[in-house]
C-alpha cells in the first residue's frame, strides 16, 4: 500500500515546471535549447529593490515577522490598491504570503468544503484546478474560445454556475493567453455574478502592470463595487518587478476571509521571508518608471512573435493585450507528420517533437485546459525569439 494520501492521486505536478526542467537538462547536455516555457521576466530585479534588501539584512530585519506580513508592507499594499485600482482596504484586510501562489492556495484551503465547486475559465493557469483539488473542492472548467480571443462570455459563466459554486477565479491579463478583459467585457461577467450572491470572486491580478497599447487593466471590485464584500483581490510583485525568486504575493478582501487565510499560513509556513518583504515595500513605494520601459520591450517582442507565428500555415495566433504569453492554435497542423516521422495527434506531440527536433521548448495547450494550442513565453531576448520562431517556421514547413 502506498504511503501517499488519496488526494495526491488527483493532482499532477506543474507541467510548466516539468518542461522548463527538461529543457534545462537538454541544455546541460550541450544542446542549443531555446526555452520559451518559463513564466518569468528575463531581466534582473531593479537596483533600488535589491538595495532595500541589502539594507534590511544590515539592519537586522532577519527575524520572524507577523505571520501575514509586516505593517509597512501592508500599508504599501493599501496605498497601491488605492493608487492603481481605486480600492479602499485597511491593513486588517491584507495578507502577504510566499508568492501569489501561496495566497491563492491559502484562500482555497480556508474556504472549500467537500463538494464546493470553483469555476475556472480555460485556458487557465496550470495551478488553479490542482489547488482546488488539493483543498478538497471540485474544479468546474468553463472553456473560452479562440473566436472570443480566449475570453469567457457572460453566457458561458452563467452556464457554469450552480448552487454549489463557491468561487469564480478570474485572471486578466491571463496566463497562458495574455488576454486582458476590457471594462465592458469584465462588467458583463460581474453582472452575472450580481445575479448569484452565493458566488465569490478570486481575482488574480498578477499581470496587472503588463498591459499594452490601449488596453486598460481593471479588476472586479473596481468594475462592480457591489462585489467588494465577496471579492478577494490577489496580486504580487513577482512578474511586474522581476521578483519571481523573492516569493512575495498578497491578497485583499473581507476580514473574516483574511483571518482564515492567516490561520492556514500560521500553521504551515509562517511569515514570508522578512528580507523579501522589505524589498517588496520598496517595489511598491519606490519609483515605478521602469514598468513602462519593460512594457515597451514586451510589446516589441509580442509583435515579433505574433507576426512570425501567423506566417505559418496552420497556426493562428491572436494578439493579446498583456502578460508575456501568446497562445497560438495549431488546429491546422493536427494529423501531420514531422520530418523525423512522428505524427502530430495532440499539442503535446507537437511540443515534444519541437523540443526534440528543433531544441525549442514551449508548453503544450492540454496543460492549460484548451487544445490544440501551445504557449510561448516571450520574456526572453529578441534574438532568441527570432531564432526560436525561425526554427518553429522551419519545423512546420517540413510537416507533411
Ligand atoms: N498567478 C498567475 C496567473 C501566474 O502566472 C503565477 C505565476 O506563474 C502566479 C499567480 C504565481 O506567482 P508567484 O510566483 O508570485 O507565486
Amino acid at each position: 500500500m502506498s504511503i501517499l494520501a488519496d488526494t495526491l492521486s488527483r493532482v499532477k505536478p506543474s507541467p510548466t515546471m516539468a518542461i522548463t526542467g527538461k529543457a534545462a537538462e537538454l541544455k546541460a547536455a550541450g544542446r542549443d535549447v531555446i526555452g520559451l516555457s518559463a513564466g518569468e521576466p528575463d531581466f534582473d530585479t531593479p537596483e533600488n529593490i535589491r538595495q532595500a534588501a541589502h539594507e534590511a539584512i544590515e539592519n537586522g530585519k532577519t527575524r520572524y515577522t507577523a505571520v501575514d506580513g509586516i505593517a509597512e508592507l501592508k500599508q504599501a499594499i493599501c496605498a497601491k490598491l488605492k493608487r492603481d485600482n481605486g480600492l479602499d482596504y485597511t491593513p486588517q484586510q491584507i495578507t502577504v504570503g510566499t508568492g501569489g501562489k501561496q495566497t491563492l492556495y491559502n484562500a482555497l484551503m480556508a474556504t472549500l468544503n467537500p463538494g464546493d465547486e470553483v469555476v475556472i475559465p480555460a485556458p487557465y493557469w496550470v495551478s488553479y484546478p490542482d489547488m482546488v483539488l488539493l483543498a478538497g473542492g471540485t474544479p468546474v472548467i468553463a472553456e473560452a474560445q479562440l473566436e472570443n480571443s480566449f475570453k469567457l462570455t457572460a453566457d458561458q459563466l452563467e452556464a457554469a454556475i450552480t448552487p454549489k459554486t463557491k468561487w469564480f477565479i478570474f485572471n486578466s491579463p491571463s496566463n497562458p493567453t495574455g488576454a486582458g478583459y476590457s471594462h465592458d467585457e469584465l462588467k458583463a461577467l460581474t453582472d452575472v455574478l450580481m445575479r448569484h450572491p452565493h458566488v465569490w470572486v478570486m481575482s488574480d491580478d498578477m499581470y496587472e502592470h503588463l498591459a499594452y497599447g490601449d488596453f486598460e487593466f481593471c479588476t472586479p471590485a473596481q468594475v462592480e463595487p457591489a462585489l467588494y464584500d465577496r471579492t478577494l483581490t490577489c496580486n504580487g510583485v513577482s512578474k511586474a518587478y522581476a521578483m519571481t525568486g523573492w516569493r512575495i504575493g498578497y491578497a485583499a478582501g473581507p476580514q473574516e476571509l483574511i483571518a482564515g487565510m492567516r490561520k492556514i499560513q500560521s500553521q504551515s509556513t509562517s511569515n514570508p521571508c522578512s528580507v523579501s518583504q522589505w524589498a517588496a515595500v520598496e517595489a511598491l513605494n519606490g519609483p515605478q518608471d521602469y514598468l513602462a520601459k519593460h512594457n515597451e520591450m514586451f510589446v516589441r517582442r509580442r509583435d515579433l512573435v505574433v507576426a512570425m507565428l501567423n506566417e505559418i500555415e496552420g497556426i493562428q495566433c491572436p494578439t493579446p493585450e498583456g502578460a508575456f504569453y501568446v497562445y497560438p492554435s495549431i488546429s491546422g497542423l493536427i494529423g501531420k507528420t514531422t520530418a523525423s516521422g512522428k505524427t502530430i495527434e495532440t499539442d503535446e506531440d507537437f511540443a515534444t517533437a519541437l523540443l526534440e527536433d528543433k531544441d525549442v521548448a514551449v508548453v503544450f495547450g492540454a496543460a492549460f485546459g484548451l487544445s490544440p494550442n501551445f504557449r510561448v513565453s516571450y520574456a526572453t531576448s529578441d534574438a532568441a525569439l527570432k531564432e526560436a520562431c525561425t526554427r518553429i517556421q522551419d519545423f512546420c514547413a517540413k510537416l507533411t
Side-chain angles (χ1 to χ4, degrees):
M1 224 172 87
S2 167
I3 184 77
L4 301 175
D6 296 344
T7 328
L8 266 198
S9 64
R10 295 201 296 269
V11 303
K12 56 184 182 327
S14 165
T16 44
M17 289 191 178
I19 289 161
T20 306
K22 170 134 200 232
E25 240 171 62
L26 289 174
K27 217 170 188 167
R31 300 256 298 255
D32 173 26
V33 175
I34 305 179
L36 304 181
S37 60
E40 60 183 345
D42 57 321
F43 37 81
D44 289 334
T45 306
E47 163 66 25
N48 62 313
I49 300 174
R50 301 200 307 260
Q51 191 57 38
H54 282 292
E55 278 164 27
I57 293 173
E58 293 311 319
N59 293 331
K61 311 282 192 198
T62 50
R63 299 173 186 272
Y64 290 132
T65 73
V67 166
D68 65 357
I70 54 176
E72 290 82 352
L73 181 51
K74 289 187 177 187
Q75 276 299 351
I77 292 165
C78 290
K80 176 260 172 260
L81 289 164
K82 184 71 183 163
R83 175 180 76 224
D84 297 342
N85 313 111
L87 294 172
D88 287 299
Y89 286 102
T90 63
Q92 295 73 32
Q93 292 176 282
I94 306 292
T95 179
V96 183
T98 300
K101 207 169 208 172
Q102 189 184 24
T103 51
L104 296 165
Y105 186 64
N106 285 345
L108 294 167
M109 287 297 284
T111 54
L112 293 183
N113 290 313
D116 284 346
E117 295 177 353
V118 178
V119 174
I120 303 172
Y124 45 70
W125 178 46
V126 289
S127 295
Y128 298 142
D130 291 293
M131 283 191 195
V132 169
L133 288 167
L134 278 174
T138 306
V140 172
I141 307 303
E143 263 190 24
Q145 304 300 328
L146 172 76
E147 295 73 47
N148 295 323
S149 308
F150 302 117
K151 293 176 206 174
L152 200 68
T153 64
D155 288 347
Q156 287 169 325
L157 175 58
E158 184 73 58
I161 292 174
T162 76
K164 290 186 187 161
T165 309
K166 194 131 196 188
W167 286 103
F168 166 53
I169 301 186
F170 176 74
N171 175 221
S172 164
S174 144
N175 178 2
T177 64
Y181 288 68
S182 69
H183 181 281
D184 289 354
E185 287 164 341
L186 178 51
K187 183 72 168 55
L189 299 184
T190 59
D191 284 351
V192 174
L193 296 173
M194 288 308 292
R195 293 198 287 276
H196 299 279
H198 66 292
V199 180
W200 283 56
V201 56
M202 192 177 294
S203 185
D204 182 351
D205 299 351
M206 187 55 79
Y207 295 93
E208 164 177 16
H209 292 298
L210 297 139
Y212 313 130
D214 296 338
F215 173 68
E216 274 180 40
F217 171 84
C218 52
T219 189
Q222 174 189 30
V223 166
E224 180 48 85
L227 282 178
Y228 177 87
D229 289 331
R230 50 186 169 110
T231 299
L232 186 67
T233 301
C234 307
N235 209 323
V237 294
S238 298
K239 313 285 176 170
Y241 302 97
M243 292 179 71
T244 47
W246 299 75
R247 312 307 303 132
I248 295 292
Y250 57 87
Q255 271 195 50
E256 184 190 14
L257 171 58
I258 295 297
M261 292 167 67
R262 183 187 313 127
K263 202 182 213 178
I264 306 269
Q265 194 160 301
S266 74
Q267 297 294 14
S268 51
T269 59
S270 299
N271 65 274
C273 169
S274 58
V275 176
S276 298
Q277 289 189 65
W278 284 101
V281 169
E282 174 61 21
L284 296 177
N285 285 348
Q288 306 288 309
D289 50 318
Y290 44 75
L291 296 175
K293 280 189 212 131
H294 291 161
N295 285 359
E296 262 174 42
M297 201 162 64
F298 281 137
V299 169
R300 197 180 60 234
R301 292 170 175 181
R302 176 197 65 177
D303 292 346
L304 168 81
V305 171
V306 168
M308 286 188 78
L309 292 177
N310 275 328
E311 282 168 15
I312 301 170
E313 213 184 304
I315 287 191
Q316 240 185 308
C317 185
T319 302
E321 290 84 359
F324 37 66
Y325 308 107
V326 293
Y327 198 66
S329 158
I330 54 161
S331 55
L333 302 179
I334 297 299
K336 300 207 172 205
T337 306
T338 67
S340 56
K342 292 164 215 129
T343 308
I344 296 180
E345 278 163 17
T346 63
D347 50 26
E348 185 166 0
D349 293 340
F350 176 86
T352 306
L354 187 63
L355 182 55
E356 284 171 1
D357 298 359
K358 288 287 178 189
D359 290 332
V360 175
V362 298
V363 187
F364 53 91
F368 306 103
L370 192 82
S371 290
N373 292 68
F374 66 97
R375 187 193 75 173
V376 167
S377 164
Y378 56 82
T380 189
S381 73
D382 293 35
L385 288 171
K386 242 181 236 169
E387 170 62 22
C389 289
T390 304
R391 289 188 200 178
I392 297 173
Q393 288 182 339
D394 191 47
F395 175 81
C396 294
K398 296 208 169 82
L399 293 175
T400 49

